[in-house]
Amino acid sequence: MTDALRASQAEIQRSFEDFQVFESHQRLNKKEMFESQFLDFMKWFKDDVHSAYTRKDFQRIELRHLLFRIGGYIFILLPLYLYLHSQFPQYALVWGLPLLFVSIFFAQQAEVMHMRTHCPKKLTGINWVDQAIDYFGLAIGGISPTLFGRRHLAAHYNDIGNVSKLFSEVWLTFDKMPLSYYSRPQTLIKFLLDPKFCREEKLNRQTLLVETIAFYAYLGALVTELFFGSYFLLVFHALPSLIIASGQILGAVIVHSGIDNRNSFESNGIFDYQTAKGLFKVSLWFFGLLNHGFFMNHGIHHAYPQVPLEIINTNYKRYHQKILQDYTGVRYNTVVSHIMFEPLLKNLKKPNFFDYIVTFVICNVAVFAMILTIMGLPVPPTLFEPLLVDYRIFTKYSKSERLACVVAFWDKLNLDQRYQAVEKPNAYLDMVYRRYIKMKQYLGKRSAVQKSVTNV
């Protein structure tokens, strides 16, 4: 990195509130976090945003989002539920499904929990409101601003691409630090009882203690409500929170489906379902319904994390045009699976109506599978990516053809040598490497059998 680029990076680091909080982490690599083109866009993007908005505008937008979410639950969802549950309990399925969709709509406004991570000093401009988000964000939105901040900031400044995360020393897998604690509330106690872990990972134990107490009170209220035959908190609060979180993580898996460990337009892909092709268009459209424009805004969001996402959503086409015109090597509507299975994908015919229906079903399955992952199941979040690109690579081609593509991809990235160099591989790297070895063994046996048959 040149002196000019280092100076630009240092200037950006000083202006980002979230980085200032996380920069003292011992394992954070601060030498080269941004690729030169991405740095250039970051400066342009910041100037462009502030030509129309101030930080006070940011705060007003985030406060509005918070009030919209809380107000929607208190003044719309809860009264509707109480009325319908008391008057028409026998028709719960009839009114319950539409009410679930309404609750998912309001749950999307939980971005304030995410944005609090990036605005640790001032999010809404009102100190006691910001403090309340820190204390009660886990109970209200299902995501802990404290713990999510630790995981999310690592993913913002180091090992951005999914492949680089496998070898990361700072990024934490979901089995170590879940995103959701509904099924593992004891993990919160485990973190609290480990002051060394909290100190090393920059976790505020006092805030985490209040969060934990509030969350346990919430779980107690949920169980008590179920005991008395009601289910508002479970069905219309906890479940929508999980669905939205799952959709956002699936969005992150796609946006960051790259190799570069720095912030670049390869590790931060840009997507637009309107211009996507094939069955992948269905996946982008479906998850876009859940993650509130995540595909349009997230790669750009990495260029200036304090900007409210609705500003990017409003202007995303202009930003996409700027990126595609002025920069090279941009990953647009493409993920690792497109590269890995390119020899197979290019020979597939145009999908028919049935293929689109199957992809829609796969998307739904992927959402609920990801819920298990974010709650701590040790399964890589990228598991469904090939199916979301085009499930037909599993129906039109043999196992050997698919595995040959996977092995060739990892061979090109020197997986074996890189794995051996990692002192303590994380759970996902271990899984990928074990599968890689099994694939090579399978292909070796198949090759030996084919040679034997040929000789005969």
Side-chain angles (χ1 to χ4, degrees):
M1 179 180 278
T2 65
D3 291 340
L5 288 177
R6 288 193 185 93
S8 296
Q9 179 172 285
E11 179 185 350
I12 288 168
Q13 291 170 0
R14 287 192 298 269
S15 67
F16 284 2
E17 293 178 18
D18 52 357
F19 181 80
Q20 293 168 16
V21 170
F22 199 63
E23 66 175 330
S24 60
H25 195 285
Q26 294 179 351
R27 296 194 300 276
L28 183 67
N29 176 14
K30 293 178 283 188
K31 292 182 179 179
E32 191 173 9
M33 298 184 296
F34 307 101
E35 185 265 342
S36 58
Q37 290 190 120
F38 200 79
L39 267 174
D40 181 79
F41 176 74
M42 292 171 79
K43 291 185 289 184
W44 178 90
F45 180 50
K46 188 174 182 180
D47 291 340
D48 183 80
V49 168
H50 284 298
S51 68
Y53 301 92
T54 67
R55 291 301 293 268
K56 287 290 185 183
D57 292 327
F58 293 1
Q59 292 166 1
R60 283 192 287 268
I61 290 171
E62 299 300 354
L63 180 60
R64 173 164 51 82
H65 287 171
L66 178 64
L67 294 176
F68 184 82
R69 175 185 168 83
I70 295 176
Y73 267 88
I74 294 176
F75 299 112
I76 296 177
L77 273 172
L78 184 57
L80 272 175
Y81 171 78
L82 291 174
Y83 174 75
L84 293 169
H85 181 66
S86 61
Q87 299 298 316
F88 307 103
Q90 69 274 28
Y91 300 118
L93 288 178
V94 175
W95 55 260
L97 190 59
L99 201 62
L100 177 62
F101 289 141
V102 174
S103 66
I104 289 174
F105 171 73
F106 284 117
Q108 287 180 327
Q109 305 309 312
E111 279 297 338
V112 290
M113 311 305 169
H114 165 213
M115 293 305 292
R116 178 57 174 163
T117 292
H118 296 297
C119 303
K121 293 180 181 178
K122 293 277 188 181
L123 175 66
T124 65
I126 304 173
N127 290 335
W128 70 266
V129 173
D130 288 349
Q131 193 72 66
I133 293 170
D134 294 337
Y135 286 154
F136 306 112
L138 178 56
I140 293 174
I143 295 176
S144 160
T146 300
L147 296 172
F148 179 70
R150 160 60 185 90
R151 133 185 313 287
H152 191 62
L153 292 182
H156 251 260
Y157 295 110
N158 275 177
D159 303 301
I160 313 302
N162 291 342
V163 172
S164 68
K165 283 181 171 66
L166 292 173
F167 308 95
S168 178
E169 294 182 358
V170 67
W171 184 73
L172 295 175
T173 53
F174 288 109
D175 58 311
K176 282 192 173 183
M177 184 177 281
L179 182 67
S180 169
Y181 295 87
Y182 290 123
S183 66
R184 292 174 60 183
Q186 73 280 4
T187 309
L188 297 168
I189 304 296
K190 176 185 174 184
F191 292 153
L192 280 170
L193 295 178
D194 192 343
K196 181 182 177 183
F197 176 82
C198 290
R199 186 169 57 254
E200 290 178 349
E201 301 302 341
K202 307 300 174 185
L203 303 177
N204 186 318
R205 289 182 75 205
Q206 180 180 341
T207 302
L208 184 58
L209 175 61
V210 178
E211 280 188 279
T212 302
I213 293 172
F215 186 61
Y216 270 77
Y218 167 84
L219 292 179
L222 187 151
V223 172
T224 301
E225 185 195 12
L226 289 173
F227 179 78
F228 285 101
S230 181
Y231 43 82
F232 177 79
L233 289 178
L234 177 64
V235 176
F236 301 109
H237 182 264
L239 181 59
S241 297
L242 286 170
I243 291 173
I244 294 300
S246 175
Q248 289 177 331
I249 296 302
L250 279 163
V253 166
I254 289 174
V255 170
H256 298 306
S257 185
I259 298 170
D260 199 348
N261 64 322
R262 306 163 300 173
N263 277 286
S264 67
F265 290 117
E266 193 277 337
S267 60
N268 293 306
I270 58 174
F271 295 82
D272 186 351
Y273 85 89
Q274 295 178 351
T275 57
K277 297 179 180 179
L279 298 178
F280 192 50
K281 186 184 188 79
V282 177
S283 302
L284 295 181
W285 167 80
F286 180 84
F287 298 128
L289 294 176
L290 300 179
N291 57 39
H292 207 46
F294 198 97
F295 297 122
M296 299 180 295
N297 64 52
H298 193 72
I300 298 168
H301 160 72
H302 270 244
Y304 189 4
Q306 285 73 48
V307 178
L309 300 182
E310 78 167 40
I311 293 176
I312 304 177
N313 287 355
T314 301
N315 299 281
Y316 87 93
K317 284 190 178 294
R318 182 165 61 86
Y319 295 143
H320 282 194
Q321 184 179 29
K322 159 78 175 176
I323 292 167
L324 293 171
Q325 285 182 352
D326 292 0
Y327 304 112
T328 59
V330 178
R331 184 166 54 83
Y332 185 60
N333 287 341
T334 303
V335 295
V336 162
S337 292
H338 282 108
I339 300 169
M340 183 182 289
F341 296 106
E342 182 182 9
L344 309 184
L345 291 169
K346 67 182 182 181
N347 292 321
L348 289 173
K349 296 179 180 179
K350 186 178 180 180
N352 56 38
F353 181 75
F354 175 77
D355 295 324
Y356 287 105
I357 297 298
V358 172
T359 303
F360 179 77
V361 172
I362 290 172
C363 288
N364 282 271
V365 173
V367 167
F368 288 98
M370 184 59 73
I371 287 176
L372 299 178
T373 296
I374 64 177
M375 290 197 296
L377 191 71
V379 177
T382 56
L383 181 66
F384 275 81
E385 186 184 283
L387 289 166
L388 298 175
V389 169
D390 198 317
Y391 81 94
R392 293 176 298 167
I393 60 177
F394 292 90
T395 61
K396 301 296 184 180
Y397 296 102
S398 67
K399 181 178 180 180
S400 297
E401 290 173 302
R402 295 194 304 274
L403 298 190
C405 290
V406 177
V407 169
F409 176 82
W410 288 118
D411 281 345
K412 189 174 181 180
L413 294 180
N414 299 314
L415 175 62
D416 194 33
Q417 297 92 321
R418 294 178 70 182
Y419 177 83
Q420 302 303 331
V422 177
E423 185 176 347
K424 294 181 180 179
N426 63 45
Y428 298 163
L429 178 57
D430 264 334
M431 289 180 189
V432 168
Y433 185 71
R434 287 200 302 269
R435 290 178 61 194
Y436 166 76
I437 294 300
K438 289 180 180 179
M439 289 177 189
K440 293 197 76 169
Q441 291 172 346
Y442 177 85
L443 292 173
K445 291 177 181 177
R446 294 285 296 179
S447 178
V449 169
Q450 289 175 353
K451 287 181 180 179
S452 177
V453 171
T454 302
N455 290 337
V456 171

